[in-house]
Amino acid sequence: YEDPFKACTLDGTLFINRAPLRNAIKRLSAGANPRVFAVNGPSRSGKSHSLFFIAHIEEKQRKFEKLVVDLKDEAPAKFRPNMLVRSLVRQMGRNKSVPDIPKEEDSSTPPRWVRDLADFLLGEIKDSQKLWVIVLDGFGHPNLDELTREMVRELVVRAARETLLRVVLLQYADDLLPLELAGRFEREPISAFTKDDLRGFFQSYIRMQGEEPE
């Protein structure tokens, strides 16, 4: 028996340390705080491995479903908030709802459009009666469309109070985490492995093979 939250490998990918992420996803999947979890670190520090771990827990626990939007292959300045919502709705399997996504011209102001989009997405989430974890990667880009940035902030605010929504930010800007939500979100700054991290990894891995490490 392997506790999925203590996994050393994720379908062959080594997963070392990351105790803050492991603990946060364990509490998040149980419906507790944090409602929002934010990961940051230098290039090639392992931020993408966070997604592997979330997918692992989704598969093993089946208590939530993840939705992932990665800006890696997008032009951040041209990625509009309706494009974000459209991607999320399609991943939820609710393609019939896509034509009903609020249009900018039908809202009185751009900020009102962002709130309309958030209302629409929350309506789809509540109608599904499932816990959804939205994983946003790369939305800390300095050239991100300002309304899309506001859309991410709105999702963070909604996740802080909505029962069926959680948000994980991979590479984020501080302005995406409003200070008034302190206590509802947690951060993990990824750092280099230490000798203790590696020692703990090998001890856990060996024990999972049914042996006691020397």
Side-chain angles (χ1 to χ4, degrees):
Y1 171 77
E2 179 183 334
D3 181 344
F5 295 101
K6 296 181 180 179
C8 294
T9 61
L10 310 175
D11 293 327
T13 300
L14 299 182
F15 196 68
I16 303 173
N17 195 1
R18 304 299 302 278
L21 175 69
R22 295 174 190 268
N23 293 333
I25 300 303
K26 185 173 186 176
R27 287 180 278 122
L28 179 153
S29 64
N33 288 336
R35 302 298 185 92
V36 178
F37 189 71
V39 178
N40 233 340
S43 178
R44 302 183 65 81
S45 63
K47 292 189 298 292
S48 62
H49 278 51
S50 307
L51 180 56
F52 296 151
F53 180 74
I54 293 169
H56 170 76
I57 297 302
E58 176 191 25
E59 178 184 349
K60 299 298 183 183
Q61 296 289 98
R62 300 191 181 279
K63 291 184 177 180
F64 64 82
E65 295 193 34
K66 73 179 185 310
L67 306 170
V68 183
V69 181
D70 188 346
L71 287 189
K72 179 177 59 178
D73 299 321
E74 303 285 350
K78 297 182 179 179
F79 192 79
R80 303 280 285 159
N82 58 316
M83 298 166 69
L84 172 58
V85 172
R86 183 169 65 239
S87 175
L88 295 171
V89 170
R90 282 178 171 166
Q91 290 182 64
M92 292 173 70
R94 303 177 72 86
N95 288 319
K96 292 181 179 179
S97 299
V98 170
D100 298 324
I101 293 175
K103 298 178 176 58
E104 185 172 10
E105 58 268 25
D106 293 335
S107 299
S108 56
T109 63
R112 177 69 258 179
W113 181 42
V114 169
R115 292 193 295 273
D116 288 342
L117 288 168
D119 288 343
F120 177 83
L121 180 61
L122 261 296
E124 295 295 303
I125 287 173
K126 290 178 179 179
D127 189 55
S128 73
Q129 286 300 298
K130 296 179 181 178
L131 175 62
W132 296 93
V133 176
I134 297 177
V135 183
L136 302 178
D137 194 351
F139 282 77
H141 196 286
N143 294 331
L144 183 66
D145 177 87
E146 187 52 43
L147 283 183
T148 304
R149 190 182 305 277
E150 186 59 37
M151 183 71 209
V152 175
R153 278 195 292 263
E154 186 69 20
L155 290 178
V156 167
V157 170
R158 300 295 181 101
R161 60 176 184 251
E162 295 291 344
T163 305
L164 298 176
L165 174 62
R166 302 290 185 272
V167 173
V168 175
L169 302 177
L170 306 180
Q171 186 197 343
Y172 65 93
D174 287 338
D175 66 330
L176 297 179
L177 297 172
L179 291 178
E180 61 268 24
L181 301 183
R184 291 284 174 124
F185 68 78
E186 292 181 10
R187 309 172 192 251
E188 180 193 19
I190 302 178
S191 57
F193 296 142
T194 66
K195 289 183 179 180
D196 285 341
D197 293 334
L198 293 174
R199 185 180 296 109
F201 167 80
F202 283 114
Q203 288 173 340
S204 297
Y205 186 79
I206 292 170
R207 286 192 178 105
M208 286 179 180
Q209 312 312 309
E211 300 180 21
E212 188 60 28
E214 298 178 0

